Amino acid sequence: MKLVFLGPPGAGKGTIAAKAKDVYSIPHISTGDLFRDNIKRETELGKKVKAILAAGDLVPDEVTIAMVKDRLASDDASNGFILDGFPRTIAQADALETISSLDKVVNFVLDKEDIIRRLSGRRVCKSTGRTYHILYNPPKVEGIDDETGEPLIQRDDDKEEAIRNRLEVYEASTAPLISYYREKGLLVDIDASASPDEVLKSMVDALR
Ligand code: AMP
């Protein structure tokens, strides 16, 4: 199964992908996670993109496309994949067409108020990337990762100013991909307002 997960930041793409990868036995490829991993390891790529991520802007297409092309060439992606957060521009979608075919594009639909509520309450464990929400998915002990015991942090780009920018960037650059993929007959709309397990179930049913 070759899937793209589309939708605004905060729609739960990463949360659903982390579950769906086991359902379909395919890797979850998140461009945001790949960038954050490079930033953490202080690679050349990480240094180049650090300020861009903190501001909630988009990394240039050439850089992002090259990284995804490289990742999709790995053995584990040969039978399928979930691309989470890629493509985010029409140029990236055009490039993806030259790299791989797709089975479906899942569009996670969520209104703006819910998006802001979800993003502003999100907390992450820096070393594992595991995510929580202070209201909807709290850790067992406030502020602490359930498994590693490390303190949870708020991503720089989940702070108010960056959230506003990310939503503008989404509307301007990424939302046009909805009609791009609808016209190709690939789009499946999923209501992302329910709990992660319910959203996963409606997606699996819709893809059957
Ligand atoms: P995410 O974890 O998907 O919200 O991505 C976090 C950040 O990584 C975004 O706000 C961008 O700065 C960058 N990023 C992730 N995916 C892409 C992409 N496909 N194109 C450009 N920038 C991206």
Side-chain angles (χ1 to χ4, degrees):
M1 187 80 98
K2 295 176 176 170
L3 299 174
V4 160
F5 279 11
L6 196 64
K13 302 185 296 292
T15 304
I16 304 301
K19 293 170 179 281
K21 75 178 191 348
D22 296 327
V23 175
Y24 299 113
S25 302
I26 48 178
H28 166 202
I29 301 174
S30 154
T31 42
D33 284 350
L34 292 173
F35 287 132
R36 282 184 289 275
D37 179 58
N38 275 275
I39 292 170
K40 195 163 74 187
R41 292 188 290 114
E42 299 182 344
T43 65
E44 281 308 306
L45 175 62
K47 287 178 200 156
K48 200 173 345 181
V49 304
K50 187 171 181 183
I52 299 176
L53 264 82
D57 289 326
L58 290 184
V59 174
D61 285 335
E62 321 78 75
V63 176
T64 309
I65 291 164
M67 182 179 75
V68 170
K69 194 170 181 180
D70 193 53
R71 180 64 186 85
L72 288 180
S74 300
D75 283 350
D76 69 333
S78 60
N79 285 328
F81 48 77
I82 299 170
L83 275 175
D84 158 19
F86 182 93
R88 258 176 158 98
T89 65
I90 298 280
Q92 292 178 12
D94 286 341
L96 179 58
E97 279 207 322
T98 70
I99 303 172
S100 177
S101 60
L102 293 175
D103 293 308
K104 287 289 175 204
V105 174
V106 182
N107 180 35
F108 292 92
V109 180
L110 193 68
D111 69 32
K112 203 166 171 178
E113 275 172 28
D114 280 336
I115 293 171
I116 293 171
R117 208 173 300 132
R118 283 196 187 171
L119 289 176
S120 54
R122 178 159 67 181
R123 299 291 182 272
V124 298
C125 172
K126 206 170 178 186
S127 68
T128 64
R130 200 174 2 258
T131 60
Y132 299 85
H133 190 282
I134 52 172
L135 299 178
Y136 309 130
N137 177 29
K140 292 186 183 117
V141 178
E142 191 183 327
I144 301 291
D145 183 75
D146 289 347
E147 285 176 29
T148 64
E150 290 169 53
L152 301 178
I153 58 150
Q154 184 172 38
R155 275 167 49 173
D156 282 341
D157 61 348
D158 282 344
K159 296 183 180 153
E160 199 178 328
E161 178 71 26
I163 289 178
R164 215 171 308 128
N165 189 36
R166 287 163 73 201
L167 289 177
E168 279 170 23
V169 168
Y170 171 77
E171 284 303 329
S173 303
T174 309
L177 291 176
I178 296 172
S179 40
Y180 177 100
Y181 283 122
R182 203 185 299 284
E183 279 160 25
K184 291 180 188 291
L186 290 172
L187 204 77
V188 178
D189 287 315
I190 296 291
D191 174 6
S193 64
S195 71
D197 285 333
E198 287 169 306
V199 175
L200 177 71
K201 183 174 182 311
S202 52
M203 184 194 81
V204 171
D205 288 346
L207 292 179
R208 200 169 276 143

Coordinates of all heavy atoms in Angstrom, one line a residue, residues 9-10 13 30-33 35-36 49 52-61 64 67-68 84-89 92 122 155 157 166, ligand 1:
P9 N -1.5 20.8 9.7 CA -0.7 20.4 10.9 C -1.7 20.2 12.0 O -2.7 21.0 12.1 CB 0.2 21.6 11.1 CG -0.3 22.8 10.3 CD -1.1 22.2 9.2
G10 N -1.4 19.2 12.8 CA -2.3 19.0 14.0 C -3.5 18.1 13.7 O -4.3 17.8 14.6
K13 N -2.0 13.3 11.6 CA -1.4 12.5 10.5 C -0.3 11.6 11.2 O -0.3 10.4 10.9 CB -0.7 13.3 9.4 CG -1.6 14.2 8.7 CD -1.0 14.9 7.5 CE 0.2 15.9 7.9 NZ -0.3 17.1 8.7
S30 N 8.0 10.2 7.8 CA 7.5 11.6 8.1 C 8.7 12.5 7.8 O 9.8 12.4 8.4 CB 7.2 11.7 9.6 OG 7.4 13.0 10.1
T31 N 8.5 13.4 6.9 CA 9.5 14.4 6.5 C 9.9 15.3 7.7 O 11.0 15.6 7.9 CB 9.2 15.2 5.3 OG1 7.8 15.6 5.4 CG2 9.4 14.5 4.0
G32 N 8.9 15.6 8.5 CA 9.1 16.4 9.7 C 10.0 15.7 10.7 O 11.0 16.3 11.2
D33 N 9.8 14.4 10.9 CA 10.6 13.6 11.7 C 12.0 13.5 11.2 O 13.0 13.5 11.9 CB 10.1 12.2 11.9 CG 8.9 12.1 12.9 OD1 8.6 13.2 13.6 OD2 8.2 11.1 12.9
F35 N 13.6 15.6 9.3 CA 14.3 16.9 9.5 C 14.7 17.0 11.0 O 15.8 17.4 11.3 CB 13.4 18.1 9.1 CG 13.3 18.3 7.6 CD1 12.0 18.4 7.0 CD2 14.4 18.3 6.8 CE1 11.9 18.6 5.6 CE2 14.3 18.4 5.4 CZ 13.0 18.6 4.8
R36 N 13.8 16.7 11.9 CA 14.1 16.9 13.3 C 15.2 15.9 13.7 O 16.1 16.3 14.5 CB 12.8 16.6 14.2 CG 11.8 17.8 14.2 CD 10.7 17.5 15.1 NE 9.7 16.6 14.6 CZ 8.8 16.8 13.7 NH1 8.5 18.1 13.3 NH2 8.0 15.9 13.3
V49 N 18.3 23.5 8.0 CA 16.8 23.6 8.1 C 16.3 24.0 9.5 O 15.2 24.3 9.7 CB 16.1 22.2 7.7 CG1 16.6 21.9 6.3 CG2 16.4 21.1 8.7
I52 N 14.3 27.2 9.8 CA 13.1 27.1 8.9 C 12.0 26.4 9.7 O 10.9 26.8 9.7 CB 13.4 26.4 7.6 CG1 14.5 27.1 6.8 CG2 12.2 26.2 6.8 CD1 15.0 26.4 5.5
L53 N 12.4 25.3 10.3 CA 11.4 24.5 11.1 C 10.9 25.3 12.3 O 9.7 25.3 12.6 CB 12.0 23.2 11.6 CG 11.7 22.0 10.7 CD1 12.6 21.9 9.5 CD2 11.6 20.7 11.4
A54 N 11.8 26.0 13.0 CA 11.4 26.7 14.2 C 10.4 27.8 13.8 O 9.5 28.1 14.6 CB 12.6 27.3 14.9
A55 N 10.5 28.4 12.6 CA 9.6 29.4 12.2 C 8.3 28.9 11.6 O 7.3 29.6 11.4 CB 10.3 30.3 11.2
G56 N 8.3 27.6 11.3 CA 7.1 27.0 10.7 C 7.0 27.2 9.2 O 6.0 27.1 8.6
D57 N 8.2 27.6 8.6 CA 8.2 27.8 7.1 C 8.5 26.4 6.5 O 8.9 25.5 7.1 CB 9.3 28.8 6.7 CG 8.9 30.2 7.1 OD1 7.7 30.5 7.1 OD2 9.8 31.0 7.5
L58 N 8.4 26.4 5.1 CA 8.7 25.2 4.4 C 10.2 25.1 4.0 O 10.8 26.1 3.6 CB 7.9 25.0 3.1 CG 6.4 24.8 3.3 CD1 5.7 24.6 2.0 CD2 6.1 23.6 4.2
V59 N 10.8 23.9 4.2 CA 12.1 23.7 3.7 C 12.1 23.7 2.1 O 11.1 23.3 1.5 CB 12.6 22.3 4.2 CG1 14.0 21.9 3.6 CG2 12.7 22.3 5.7
P60 N 13.1 24.3 1.4 CA 13.0 24.4 0.0 C 12.7 23.0 -0.7 O 13.2 22.0 -0.2 CB 14.4 24.9 -0.4 CG 14.9 25.6 0.8 CD 14.3 24.9 2.0
D61 N 12.0 23.0 -1.8 CA 11.5 21.8 -2.4 C 12.7 20.9 -2.8 O 12.6 19.7 -2.6 CB 10.8 22.1 -3.7 CG 9.3 22.6 -3.4 OD1 8.8 22.3 -2.4 OD2 8.8 23.4 -4.3
T64 N 14.0 19.0 0.2 CA 13.0 18.0 0.7 C 12.8 16.8 -0.3 O 12.8 15.7 0.1 CB 11.6 18.7 0.9 OG1 11.9 19.9 1.7 CG2 10.6 17.8 1.6
M67 N 15.7 14.4 -0.1 CA 15.7 13.6 1.1 C 14.7 12.5 0.9 O 14.9 11.3 1.3 CB 15.4 14.5 2.3 CG 15.3 13.8 3.6 SD 15.0 14.9 5.0 CE 13.2 15.2 4.8
V68 N 13.5 12.8 0.4 CA 12.4 11.8 0.3 C 12.8 10.7 -0.8 O 12.6 9.5 -0.6 CB 11.1 12.4 -0.1 CG1 10.0 11.4 -0.5 CG2 10.6 13.3 1.1
D84 N 4.0 10.9 5.4 CA 3.3 11.8 6.3 C 4.0 13.2 6.2 O 5.2 13.3 6.6 CB 3.4 11.2 7.7 CG 3.2 12.2 8.8 OD1 2.7 13.3 8.6 OD2 3.6 11.8 10.0
G85 N 3.3 14.2 5.7 CA 3.9 15.5 5.6 C 4.6 15.8 4.3 O 5.3 16.8 4.1
F86 N 4.5 14.9 3.4 CA 5.1 15.0 2.0 C 4.1 14.4 1.0 O 3.7 13.3 1.3 CB 6.4 14.4 1.9 CG 7.1 14.5 0.6 CD1 8.0 15.6 0.3 CD2 6.8 13.7 -0.5 CE1 8.5 15.8 -0.9 CE2 7.4 13.8 -1.8 CZ 8.2 14.9 -2.0
P87 N 3.8 15.0 -0.1 CA 4.2 16.3 -0.5 C 3.4 17.4 0.2 O 2.3 17.2 0.7 CB 3.9 16.3 -2.0 CG 2.7 15.4 -2.2 CD 3.0 14.3 -1.1
R88 N 4.1 18.6 0.2 CA 3.4 19.8 0.8 C 3.3 20.9 -0.2 O 2.8 22.0 0.1 CB 4.3 20.3 2.0 CG 3.7 19.9 3.4 CD 4.7 20.4 4.4 NE 4.3 20.6 5.7 CZ 4.4 19.7 6.7 NH1 4.9 18.5 6.5 NH2 4.0 20.0 7.9
T89 N 3.8 20.7 -1.4 CA 3.6 21.7 -2.5 C 3.3 20.9 -3.8 O 3.6 19.7 -3.9 CB 4.9 22.5 -2.7 OG1 6.0 21.6 -3.2 CG2 5.4 23.2 -1.4
Q92 N 6.5 19.4 -5.2 CA 6.8 18.1 -4.5 C 5.9 17.0 -5.1 O 6.4 15.9 -5.3 CB 6.7 18.3 -3.0 CG 7.7 19.2 -2.4 CD 7.5 19.3 -0.9 OE1 6.8 18.6 -0.2 NE2 8.2 20.3 -0.3
R122 N 0.0 20.0 22.4 CA 0.9 18.9 22.0 C 2.2 19.0 22.8 O 2.8 20.1 22.9 CB 1.2 18.9 20.5 CG 2.1 17.8 20.1 CD 2.0 17.4 18.7 NE 2.5 18.5 17.8 CZ 2.4 18.3 16.4 NH1 1.9 17.3 15.9 NH2 2.8 19.3 15.7
R155 N 7.3 21.6 21.1 CA 8.1 21.9 19.9 C 8.1 23.4 19.7 O 7.0 24.1 19.9 CB 7.4 21.2 18.7 CG 7.9 19.8 18.5 CD 7.0 19.1 17.5 NE 6.8 19.7 16.2 CZ 6.2 19.2 15.2 NH1 5.8 17.9 15.2 NH2 6.0 19.8 14.0
D157 N 7.9 24.9 17.0 CA 6.9 25.3 16.0 C 5.4 25.0 16.5 O 4.5 25.2 15.7 CB 7.2 24.7 14.6 CG 7.2 23.2 14.6 OD1 7.1 22.6 15.7 OD2 7.1 22.6 13.5
R166 N 2.3 28.4 10.3 CA 2.2 27.1 9.7 C 0.8 26.9 9.0 O 0.7 26.3 7.9 CB 2.4 25.9 10.7 CG 3.8 25.8 11.1 CD 4.0 25.0 12.4 NE 3.7 23.6 12.2 CZ 3.4 22.8 13.2 NH1 3.2 23.2 14.4 NH2 3.2 21.5 13.0
Ligands
AMP1 P1 5.6 18.3 10.5 O1 6.2 17.4 11.6 O2 5.1 17.4 9.4 O3 4.6 19.2 11.0 O4 6.8 19.1 9.8 C1 7.5 20.0 10.6 C2 8.3 21.0 9.7 O5 9.2 20.3 8.9 C3 7.4 21.8 8.8 O6 6.8 22.9 9.4 C4 8.4 22.3 7.8 O7 9.3 23.3 8.3 C5 9.3 21.0 7.6 N1 8.7 20.1 6.6 C6 8.2 18.9 6.8 N2 7.8 18.3 5.7 C7 8.0 19.2 4.7 C8 7.8 19.3 3.3 N3 7.2 18.2 2.6 N4 8.3 20.4 2.6 C9 8.9 21.4 3.2 N5 9.1 21.4 4.6 C10 8.7 20.4 5.3

